[in-house]
């Protein structure tokens, strides 16, 4: 019975459900704000301050009392005497009385009595003796009227003490680091980053930089996976290439256990070929939950654990490995990272051509465009699962449900936009 369950071809949704049920968010750690970009917030953050923290000027100019200047204009300037300079970073010491102004800089606190600021462009400082512009002495002509609050940033107009600023379980964006710094948060509590061990398997694989002999290919999956893992806020550690034999496969999987990987991600060697040792080793030394999923590309996808470490074996073909990652690995890694839902950009698009499928849930490489006020979808060309260029040219995966063998031109199709 158990044997049966393990060899069954299962649906994508069942596979995903079984897989996700064994992934749980990691614990938290404190990191300095400087290291917090892209880290996933563990707890929501409330402000214990008002922002701005004090009422201040939004312009370089003159802090004034609006009632003193309500008749001011270019032809009818109002004359005020300057009582103080208030640069940013200083506290005003003199409150304004009738017909008084303080010269104020952007970001400086507003003096007592002032209720508005006149930008310097609409003023002239002058020498009262000569009645000419001087820029130095203690009088200013105001050429503009003002309403209370003009060019003033009020305490708390952006944030109130106690406001919820950021919700937990999302990666921190640059602008969010900015507001955390405004709030004085030098450290934040984030989820630990998952550590993903990447293993490439196959006698034919050669690392980049080595010349290919007959029948050999470069290990490309490692690079694709490395970049996908990085995109998904996790750390990737490439353990290298192993040849197709049980001892080497066992040894490299053990080294993933040694480095305390949260997930082992291998590619190739999980199919039905006589040299597909990865699945056999996982079955022997750990547990295999499933290894065949009713999807295209990427039917041989294995999930289980090796010596207690979660293991996902992706197919070897580069496009299958990519699709397998998007469908299964991404949600799993995001869940470990504390992100409960995959932020996938989905669109319904109208097919501009007929699409054949084979009844498996299919993820086809396509191009989605906005034409004649609707989204249209077409394939990028040959869908062979080793053909990477058709994935490079794609901007979406077209998702064809299981049981569907063909979709006519003009029908709607679900698409996932690729980033
Ligand atoms: P397998 O799953 O071992 O049957 O491999 C399926 C196909 O994927 C074969 O053509 C392999 O050569 C190819 N393949 C396996 N691993 C990689 C890799 N790391 N990079 C690129 N192609 C690979
Ligand atoms: Mg192989």
């Amino acid at each position: 019975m158990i044997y049966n369950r393990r060899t069954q071809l299962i649906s994508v949704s069942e596979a995903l459900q079984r897989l996700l049920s064994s992934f749980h968010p990691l614990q938290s750690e404190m990191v300095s704000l400087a290291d917090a970009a892209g880290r996933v917030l563990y707890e929501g953050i409330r402000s214990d301050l008002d922002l701005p923290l004090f009422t201040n000027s939004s312009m370089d100019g003159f802090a004034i009392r609006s009632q003193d200047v309500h008749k001011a204009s270019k032809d009818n300037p109002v004359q005020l005497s300057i009582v103080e300079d208030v640069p940013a970073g200083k506290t005003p010491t003199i409150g304004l009385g009738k017909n008084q102004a303080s010269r104020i800089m952007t970001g400086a606190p507003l003096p007592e009595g002032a209720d508005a600021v006149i930008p310097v462009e609409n003023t002239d400082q002058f020498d009262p003796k000569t009645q000419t512009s001087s820029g130095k002495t203690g009088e200013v002509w105001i050429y503009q009227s003002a309403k209370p609050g003009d060019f003033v940033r009020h305490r708390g107009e952006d944030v109130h003490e106690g406001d919820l600023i950021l919700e937990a379980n999302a990666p921190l964006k640059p602008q969010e680091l900015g507001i955390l710094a405004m709030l004085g948060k030098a450290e934040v509590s984030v989820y630990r980053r998952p550590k993903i061990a990447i293993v490439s398997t196959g006698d034919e694989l050669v690392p980049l930089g080595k010349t290919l002999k007959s029948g050999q290919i470069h290990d490309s999956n490692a690079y694709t996976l490395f970049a996908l893992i990085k995109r998904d806020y996790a750390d990737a550690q490439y353990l290298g290439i192993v040849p197709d034999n049980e001892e080497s496969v066992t040894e490299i999987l053990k080294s993933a256990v040694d480095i305390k990987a949260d997930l082992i991600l291998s590619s190739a060697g999980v199919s039905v070929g006589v040299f597909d040792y990865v699945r056999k080793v996982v079955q022997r030394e750990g547990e295999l939950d499933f290894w065949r999923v009713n999807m295209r590309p990427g039917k041989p996808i294995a999930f289980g654990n090796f010596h207690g470490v979660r293991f996902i074996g992706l197919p070897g073909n580069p496009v299958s490995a990519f699709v397998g990652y998007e469908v299964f690995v991404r949600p799993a890694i995001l869940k470990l990272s504390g992100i409960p839902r995959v932020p996938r950009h989905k669109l319904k698009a109208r097919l501009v051509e007929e699409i054949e499928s084979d009844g498996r849930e299919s993820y086809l490489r396509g191009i989605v465009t906005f034409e004649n006020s609707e989204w249209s979808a077409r394939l990028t060309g040959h869908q062979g699962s080793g053909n990477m260029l058709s994935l490079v040219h794609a901007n979406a995966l077209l998702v064809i449900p299981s049981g569907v063998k063909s979709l006519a031109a003009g029908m709607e199709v679900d698409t996932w936009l690729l980033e």
Side-chain angles (χ1 to χ4, degrees), residues 271-342:
S271 192
V272 289
V274 280
F275 297 107
D276 288 340
Y277 289 112
V278 180
R279 182 165 53 83
K280 290 180 199 135
V281 168
V282 170
Q283 222 155 6
R284 191 189 68 216
E285 306 244 344
E287 279 169 313
L288 193 69
D289 186 344
F290 60 78
W291 66 279
R292 292 167 78 226
V293 178
N294 190 24
M295 69 186 287
R296 179 175 74 120
K299 181 160 105 180
I301 281 203
F303 171 59
N305 75 74
F306 177 86
H307 291 218
V309 178
R310 284 166 290 240
F311 163 85
I312 299 178
L314 292 170
N317 277 309
V319 176
S320 312
F322 178 92
V323 170
Y325 182 95
E326 284 298 298
V327 175
F328 296 108
V329 184
R330 187 175 192 200
I333 291 182
L334 292 183
K335 196 171 172 194
L336 285 177
S337 309
I339 302 172
R341 269 178 312 282
V342 179

Coordinates of all heavy atoms in Angstrom, one line a residue, residues 271-342:
S271 N 14.8 10.1 -12.4 CA 13.8 9.6 -13.4 C 13.9 8.0 -13.4 O 14.3 7.4 -12.3 CB 14.2 10.2 -14.7 OG 13.1 9.9 -15.6
V272 N 13.6 7.4 -14.5 CA 13.6 6.0 -14.5 C 14.8 5.4 -15.2 O 14.9 4.2 -15.5 CB 12.3 5.5 -15.2 CG1 11.1 5.7 -14.3 CG2 12.1 6.2 -16.5
G273 N 15.8 6.2 -15.6 CA 17.0 5.7 -16.2 C 17.8 4.8 -15.3 O 17.7 4.9 -14.1
V274 N 18.6 3.9 -15.9 CA 19.3 3.0 -15.0 C 20.4 3.6 -14.2 O 20.9 3.1 -13.2 CB 20.0 1.8 -15.9 CG1 19.0 0.8 -16.2 CG2 20.7 2.4 -17.1
F275 N 20.8 4.9 -14.6 CA 21.8 5.6 -13.8 C 21.2 6.6 -12.9 O 21.9 7.5 -12.3 CB 22.8 6.2 -14.7 CG 23.6 5.2 -15.5 CD1 23.3 5.0 -16.9 CD2 24.5 4.4 -14.9 CE1 24.0 4.1 -17.6 CE2 25.2 3.4 -15.7 CZ 24.9 3.2 -17.0
D276 N 19.9 6.6 -12.7 CA 19.3 7.6 -11.8 C 19.3 7.1 -10.4 O 18.4 6.6 -9.8 CB 17.8 7.8 -12.3 CG 17.8 8.6 -13.6 OD1 18.8 9.2 -13.9 OD2 16.8 8.5 -14.3
Y277 N 20.5 7.5 -9.7 CA 20.8 7.0 -8.4 C 20.2 7.8 -7.3 O 20.1 7.4 -6.1 CB 22.3 6.8 -8.2 CG 22.8 5.7 -9.0 CD1 23.7 5.9 -10.1 CD2 22.5 4.4 -8.7 CE1 24.2 4.9 -10.8 CE2 23.0 3.3 -9.4 CZ 23.8 3.6 -10.5 OH 24.3 2.6 -11.2
V278 N 19.9 9.1 -7.6 CA 19.5 10.0 -6.5 C 18.3 9.5 -5.8 O 18.3 9.4 -4.6 CB 19.3 11.4 -7.1 CG1 19.0 12.4 -6.0 CG2 20.6 11.9 -7.8
R279 N 17.3 9.2 -6.6 CA 16.1 8.7 -5.9 C 16.3 7.4 -5.1 O 15.8 7.3 -4.0 CB 15.0 8.4 -7.1 CG 13.7 8.0 -6.6 CD 12.7 8.1 -7.7 NE 13.1 7.4 -8.9 CZ 12.9 6.1 -9.1 NH1 12.4 5.3 -8.1 NH2 13.3 5.5 -10.2
K280 N 17.2 6.5 -5.7 CA 17.4 5.3 -4.9 C 18.1 5.6 -3.6 O 17.8 5.0 -2.6 CB 18.3 4.4 -5.8 CG 17.6 3.8 -7.0 CD 18.5 2.9 -7.8 CE 17.9 2.7 -9.2 NZ 18.9 2.9 -10.3
V281 N 19.1 6.5 -3.6 CA 19.8 6.8 -2.4 C 18.9 7.4 -1.4 O 18.9 7.1 -0.2 CB 21.0 7.7 -2.7 CG1 21.6 8.3 -1.4 CG2 22.1 7.0 -3.5
V282 N 18.0 8.3 -1.8 CA 17.1 9.0 -0.9 C 16.1 7.9 -0.3 O 15.9 7.9 0.9 CB 16.3 10.1 -1.5 CG1 15.2 10.6 -0.7 CG2 17.3 11.3 -1.9
Q283 N 15.7 7.0 -1.1 CA 14.8 6.0 -0.7 C 15.5 5.1 0.4 O 14.9 4.7 1.3 CB 14.4 5.1 -1.9 CG 13.0 4.7 -1.9 CD 12.5 4.5 -3.4 OE1 13.3 4.4 -4.3 NE2 11.2 4.2 -3.6
R284 N 16.8 4.8 0.1 CA 17.5 3.9 1.0 C 17.9 4.6 2.3 O 17.7 4.0 3.4 CB 18.8 3.4 0.3 CG 19.5 2.3 1.0 CD 20.9 2.0 0.4 NE 21.8 3.1 0.6 CZ 22.7 3.6 -0.3 NH1 22.8 3.0 -1.4 NH2 23.5 4.6 0.1
E285 N 18.3 5.9 2.3 CA 18.8 6.5 3.5 C 17.8 7.4 4.2 O 18.2 8.0 5.2 CB 20.1 7.3 3.1 CG 21.1 6.5 2.4 CD 22.4 6.3 3.1 OE1 22.6 7.1 4.1 OE2 23.2 5.4 2.8
G286 N 16.7 7.6 3.5 CA 15.7 8.6 4.1 C 14.4 8.1 3.8 O 14.0 6.9 3.9
E287 N 13.5 9.1 3.4 CA 12.2 8.7 3.0 C 11.9 9.4 1.7 O 12.2 10.6 1.5 CB 11.2 9.2 4.0 CG 11.1 8.3 5.2 CD 10.3 9.1 6.3 OE1 10.6 10.2 6.6 OE2 9.4 8.4 6.9
L288 N 11.1 8.7 0.8 CA 10.7 9.3 -0.4 C 9.2 9.5 -0.3 O 8.5 8.5 -0.2 CB 11.1 8.4 -1.6 CG 11.0 9.1 -3.0 CD1 12.0 10.2 -3.1 CD2 11.2 8.0 -4.0
D289 N 8.7 10.7 -0.4 CA 7.2 10.9 -0.3 C 6.6 10.7 -1.7 O 5.6 9.9 -1.8 CB 7.0 12.3 0.2 CG 5.5 12.5 0.5 OD1 4.6 11.7 0.0 OD2 5.1 13.5 1.2
F290 N 7.1 11.4 -2.7 CA 6.6 11.1 -4.1 C 7.8 11.4 -5.0 O 8.8 12.0 -4.7 CB 5.4 12.0 -4.4 CG 5.6 13.5 -4.3 CD1 6.3 14.2 -5.3 CD2 5.2 14.2 -3.2 CE1 6.5 15.5 -5.3 CE2 5.4 15.6 -3.1 CZ 6.0 16.2 -4.2
W291 N 7.6 10.9 -6.2 CA 8.7 11.2 -7.2 C 8.1 11.3 -8.6 O 8.9 11.6 -9.6 CB 9.8 10.2 -7.2 CG 9.4 8.8 -7.6 CD1 8.8 7.9 -6.8 CD2 9.6 8.2 -8.9 NE1 8.6 6.7 -7.5 CE2 9.1 6.9 -8.8 CE3 10.2 8.6 -10.1 CZ2 9.1 6.0 -9.8 CZ3 10.2 7.7 -11.1 CH2 9.6 6.4 -11.0
R292 N 6.8 11.3 -8.8 CA 6.2 11.4 -10.1 C 5.0 12.3 -10.0 O 4.1 12.0 -9.2 CB 5.8 10.1 -10.7 CG 7.0 9.2 -11.0 CD 6.6 7.8 -11.3 NE 6.1 7.7 -12.6 CZ 4.9 7.0 -12.9 NH1 4.2 6.4 -12.0 NH2 4.5 6.9 -14.2
V293 N 5.0 13.4 -10.7 CA 3.9 14.4 -10.7 C 3.4 14.5 -12.1 O 4.1 14.6 -13.1 CB 4.4 15.7 -10.1 CG1 3.2 16.7 -10.1 CG2 5.0 15.6 -8.7
N294 N 2.0 14.6 -12.2 CA 1.4 14.6 -13.5 C 1.5 16.0 -14.1 O 0.5 16.8 -14.1 CB -0.1 14.2 -13.3 CG -0.8 14.0 -14.6 OD1 -0.1 13.7 -15.6 ND2 -2.1 14.1 -14.6
M295 N 2.7 16.4 -14.5 CA 2.9 17.7 -15.1 C 3.8 17.7 -16.2 O 4.6 16.7 -16.5 CB 3.4 18.7 -14.0 CG 4.8 18.4 -13.5 SD 5.3 19.5 -12.2 CE 5.5 21.0 -13.0
R296 N 3.9 18.8 -17.0 CA 4.7 18.9 -18.1 C 5.2 20.3 -18.2 O 4.4 21.2 -18.2 CB 4.0 18.5 -19.4 CG 4.8 18.6 -20.7 CD 4.0 18.0 -21.8 NE 2.9 19.0 -22.2 CZ 2.9 19.6 -23.4 NH1 3.7 19.3 -24.3 NH2 1.9 20.5 -23.6
P297 N 6.5 20.6 -18.4 CA 7.6 19.6 -18.2 C 7.8 19.2 -16.8 O 7.2 19.9 -15.9 CB 8.8 20.3 -18.8 CG 8.5 21.8 -18.5 CD 7.0 21.9 -18.5
G298 N 8.6 18.2 -16.5 CA 9.0 18.0 -15.2 C 8.3 16.9 -14.4 O 8.1 17.0 -13.2
K299 N 7.9 15.8 -15.1 CA 7.2 14.7 -14.4 C 8.0 14.1 -13.3 O 7.5 13.9 -12.2 CB 6.7 13.7 -15.4 CG 6.0 12.5 -14.8 CD 5.2 11.8 -15.9 CE 5.9 10.5 -16.3 NZ 5.1 9.8 -17.3
P300 N 9.3 13.8 -13.5 CA 10.0 13.2 -12.4 C 10.5 14.3 -11.4 O 11.5 14.9 -11.6 CB 11.2 12.5 -13.1 CG 11.4 13.3 -14.3 CD 10.1 14.0 -14.7
I301 N 9.7 14.5 -10.4 CA 10.1 15.4 -9.3 C 10.0 14.7 -8.0 O 8.9 14.1 -7.7 CB 9.2 16.7 -9.3 CG1 9.6 17.6 -10.4 CG2 9.2 17.3 -7.9 CD1 9.2 19.1 -10.1
A302 N 11.1 14.6 -7.3 CA 11.1 13.8 -6.1 C 11.1 14.7 -4.9 O 11.7 15.7 -4.8 CB 12.3 12.9 -6.1
F303 N 10.3 14.2 -3.8 CA 10.3 14.9 -2.6 C 10.4 13.9 -1.5 O 9.8 12.9 -1.5 CB 9.0 15.7 -2.4 CG 8.9 16.3 -1.0 CD1 9.9 17.2 -0.5 CD2 7.8 16.0 -0.2 CE1 9.8 17.7 0.7 CE2 7.7 16.5 1.1 CZ 8.7 17.3 1.5
G304 N 11.2 14.2 -0.5 CA 11.4 13.4 0.7 C 12.4 14.0 1.6 O 12.5 15.2 1.7
N305 N 13.1 13.1 2.4 CA 14.1 13.7 3.2 C 15.3 12.7 3.2 O 15.1 11.5 3.1 CB 13.6 14.0 4.7 CG 13.4 12.7 5.5 OD1 14.4 12.1 5.9 ND2 12.2 12.3 5.6
F306 N 16.5 13.3 3.4 CA 17.7 12.5 3.5 C 18.3 12.7 4.9 O 18.6 13.9 5.2 CB 18.7 12.9 2.4 CG 20.0 12.2 2.4 CD1 20.1 11.0 1.8 CD2 21.1 12.8 3.1 CE1 21.4 10.3 1.8 CE2 22.3 12.1 3.1 CZ 22.4 10.9 2.5
H307 N 18.4 11.7 5.7 CA 18.9 11.8 7.0 C 18.2 13.0 7.7 O 18.8 13.8 8.4 CB 20.4 12.1 7.1 CG 21.2 10.9 6.6 ND1 22.4 10.5 7.2 CD2 20.9 9.9 5.7 CE1 22.8 9.4 6.6 NE2 21.9 9.0 5.7
G308 N 16.9 13.1 7.5 CA 16.1 14.2 8.2 C 16.1 15.5 7.5 O 15.4 16.4 8.0
V309 N 16.9 15.7 6.5 CA 16.9 17.0 5.8 C 16.0 16.9 4.6 O 16.1 16.0 3.8 CB 18.4 17.4 5.3 CG1 18.3 18.7 4.6 CG2 19.3 17.5 6.5
R310 N 15.1 17.9 4.5 CA 14.2 17.9 3.3 C 15.0 17.9 2.0 O 16.0 18.5 1.9 CB 13.3 19.2 3.4 CG 12.2 19.1 4.4 CD 11.6 20.5 4.6 NE 12.6 21.3 5.3 CZ 12.4 21.9 6.5 NH1 11.2 21.8 7.1 NH2 13.3 22.6 7.0
F311 N 14.4 17.1 1.1 CA 15.1 16.9 -0.2 C 14.1 17.1 -1.3 O 13.0 16.6 -1.3 CB 15.6 15.5 -0.2 CG 16.0 15.0 -1.6 CD1 17.2 15.4 -2.2 CD2 15.1 14.3 -2.4 CE1 17.5 15.0 -3.4 CE2 15.4 13.9 -3.7 CZ 16.6 14.3 -4.2
I312 N 14.4 17.9 -2.3 CA 13.6 18.0 -3.5 C 14.6 17.7 -4.7 O 15.6 18.3 -4.8 CB 13.0 19.4 -3.7 CG1 12.0 19.7 -2.6 CG2 12.2 19.4 -5.1 CD1 11.4 21.1 -2.7
G313 N 14.2 16.7 -5.4 CA 15.0 16.3 -6.6 C 14.3 16.8 -7.9 O 13.2 16.3 -8.2
L314 N 14.9 17.8 -8.5 CA 14.3 18.4 -9.7 C 14.7 17.5 -10.9 O 15.8 16.9 -10.9 CB 14.7 19.8 -9.9 CG 14.2 20.8 -8.9 CD1 14.9 22.2 -9.1 CD2 12.7 21.0 -9.1
P315 N 14.0 17.6 -12.0 CA 14.4 16.9 -13.2 C 15.7 17.5 -13.7 O 16.0 18.7 -13.4 CB 13.3 17.1 -14.2 CG 12.2 17.7 -13.4 CD 12.7 18.3 -12.2
G316 N 16.4 16.8 -14.6 CA 17.7 17.3 -15.1 C 17.5 18.3 -16.2 O 18.3 19.3 -16.4
N317 N 16.5 18.1 -17.1 CA 16.4 19.0 -18.2 C 16.2 20.5 -17.7 O 15.4 20.7 -16.8 CB 15.2 18.6 -19.0 CG 15.5 17.5 -20.0 OD1 16.5 17.6 -20.7 ND2 14.7 16.5 -20.0
P318 N 17.0 21.4 -18.3 CA 17.0 22.7 -17.7 C 15.7 23.4 -17.6 O 15.4 24.1 -16.6 CB 18.0 23.5 -18.7 CG 18.9 22.4 -19.2 CD 18.0 21.2 -19.3
V319 N 14.8 23.3 -18.6 CA 13.5 24.0 -18.5 C 12.6 23.3 -17.5 O 11.9 23.9 -16.7 CB 12.8 24.0 -19.9 CG1 11.4 24.6 -19.7 CG2 13.6 24.8 -20.9
S320 N 12.8 21.9 -17.4 CA 12.0 21.2 -16.4 C 12.4 21.6 -15.0 O 11.6 21.7 -14.1 CB 12.2 19.7 -16.5 OG 12.0 19.3 -17.9
A321 N 13.7 21.8 -14.8 CA 14.2 22.2 -13.5 C 13.7 23.5 -13.1 O 13.3 23.8 -12.0 CB 15.8 22.2 -13.5
F322 N 13.7 24.4 -14.1 CA 13.2 25.8 -13.8 C 11.7 25.8 -13.5 O 11.3 26.4 -12.5 CB 13.4 26.6 -15.1 CG 12.8 28.0 -15.0 CD1 13.7 29.1 -14.5 CD2 11.5 28.4 -15.3 CE1 13.2 30.4 -14.4 CE2 11.0 29.6 -15.2 CZ 11.9 30.7 -14.7
V323 N 10.9 25.0 -14.2 CA 9.5 25.0 -14.0 C 9.2 24.3 -12.6 O 8.4 24.7 -11.8 CB 8.7 24.3 -15.1 CG1 7.3 24.0 -14.8 CG2 8.8 25.1 -16.4
G324 N 9.9 23.2 -12.4 CA 9.8 22.5 -11.1 C 10.1 23.4 -9.9 O 9.4 23.4 -8.9
Y325 N 11.1 24.3 -10.1 CA 11.4 25.2 -9.1 C 10.3 26.2 -8.9 O 9.8 26.4 -7.8 CB 12.7 26.0 -9.5 CG 13.1 27.0 -8.4 CD1 14.0 26.6 -7.4 CD2 12.5 28.2 -8.2 CE1 14.4 27.5 -6.4 CE2 12.8 29.1 -7.2 CZ 13.7 28.7 -6.3 OH 14.0 29.6 -5.2
E326 N 9.8 26.8 -10.0 CA 8.7 27.8 -9.9 C 7.5 27.2 -9.2 O 6.8 27.8 -8.4 CB 8.3 28.3 -11.2 CG 9.3 29.3 -11.8 CD 9.5 30.5 -10.9 OE1 8.5 31.3 -10.7 OE2 10.6 30.7 -10.4
V327 N 7.1 25.9 -9.6 CA 5.9 25.4 -9.1 C 6.0 24.9 -7.6 O 5.1 25.1 -6.8 CB 5.4 24.2 -10.0 CG1 4.2 23.5 -9.5 CG2 5.1 24.8 -11.4
F328 N 7.1 24.2 -7.3 CA 7.3 23.6 -6.0 C 8.3 24.2 -5.1 O 8.0 24.4 -3.9 CB 7.6 22.1 -6.2 CG 6.6 21.3 -6.9 CD1 6.8 20.9 -8.2 CD2 5.4 21.0 -6.3 CE1 5.8 20.2 -8.9 CE2 4.4 20.3 -6.9 CZ 4.6 19.9 -8.2
V329 N 9.4 24.5 -5.6 CA 10.5 24.9 -4.7 C 10.3 26.3 -4.2 O 10.5 26.6 -3.0 CB 11.9 24.8 -5.4 CG1 13.0 25.1 -4.4 CG2 12.1 23.4 -6.0
R330 N 9.8 27.2 -5.1 CA 9.6 28.6 -4.7 C 8.7 28.7 -3.5 O 9.0 29.4 -2.5 CB 9.2 29.5 -5.9 CG 9.1 30.9 -5.5 CD 8.8 31.8 -6.7 NE 9.0 33.1 -6.4 CZ 8.5 34.2 -7.0 NH1 7.7 34.0 -8.1 NH2 8.7 35.4 -6.6
P331 N 7.5 28.1 -3.6 CA 6.6 28.2 -2.4 C 7.2 27.6 -1.2 O 7.0 28.1 -0.1 CB 5.3 27.4 -2.9 CG 5.4 27.3 -4.3 CD 6.9 27.4 -4.7
A332 N 8.0 26.5 -1.3 CA 8.6 25.9 -0.1 C 9.6 26.8 0.5 O 9.6 27.0 1.7 CB 9.2 24.6 -0.5
I333 N 10.4 27.4 -0.3 CA 11.5 28.3 0.2 C 10.9 29.5 0.8 O 11.3 30.0 1.9 CB 12.5 28.6 -0.9 CG1 13.3 27.4 -1.2 CG2 13.5 29.7 -0.4 CD1 14.4 27.6 -2.3
L334 N 9.9 30.1 0.2 CA 9.2 31.3 0.7 C 8.6 30.9 2.1 O 8.6 31.7 3.0 CB 8.2 31.9 -0.3 CG 8.8 32.5 -1.5 CD1 7.7 33.1 -2.4 CD2 9.9 33.5 -1.2
K335 N 8.0 29.8 2.1 CA 7.4 29.4 3.4 C 8.4 29.3 4.5 O 8.2 29.8 5.6 CB 6.6 28.1 3.3 CG 5.6 27.8 4.4 CD 4.7 26.6 4.2 CE 3.9 26.3 5.4 NZ 3.3 25.0 5.4
L336 N 9.6 28.7 4.2 CA 10.7 28.7 5.2 C 11.1 30.1 5.6 O 11.4 30.4 6.8 CB 11.9 28.0 4.6 CG 11.9 26.5 4.4 CD1 13.3 26.1 3.8 CD2 11.8 25.8 5.8
S337 N 11.1 31.0 4.6 CA 11.5 32.4 4.8 C 10.5 33.2 5.6 O 10.8 34.4 5.9 CB 11.7 33.1 3.5 OG 12.5 32.4 2.7
G338 N 9.3 32.7 5.8 CA 8.3 33.4 6.5 C 7.3 34.1 5.6 O 6.5 34.9 6.1
I339 N 7.4 33.8 4.3 CA 6.4 34.4 3.4 C 5.3 33.4 3.0 O 5.6 32.4 2.4 CB 7.1 34.9 2.1 CG1 8.2 35.9 2.5 CG2 6.2 35.5 1.1 CD1 9.2 36.3 1.3
P340 N 4.1 33.6 3.5 CA 3.1 32.6 3.4 C 2.6 32.3 2.0 O 2.2 31.2 1.7 CB 2.0 33.0 4.3 CG 2.2 34.5 4.5 CD 3.6 34.8 4.3
R341 N 2.5 33.4 1.2 CA 2.0 33.2 -0.2 C 3.0 33.6 -1.2 O 3.7 34.6 -1.0 CB 0.7 34.0 -0.3 CG -0.6 33.2 0.0 CD -1.8 34.1 -0.1 NE -1.6 35.4 0.5 CZ -1.7 35.6 1.8 NH1 -2.0 34.6 2.6 NH2 -1.5 36.8 2.4
V342 N 3.0 32.9 -2.3 CA 3.9 33.3 -3.4 C 3.3 34.5 -4.1 O 2.2 34.5 -4.6 CB 4.1 32.1 -4.4 CG1 5.0 32.5 -5.5 CG2 4.6 30.9 -3.7

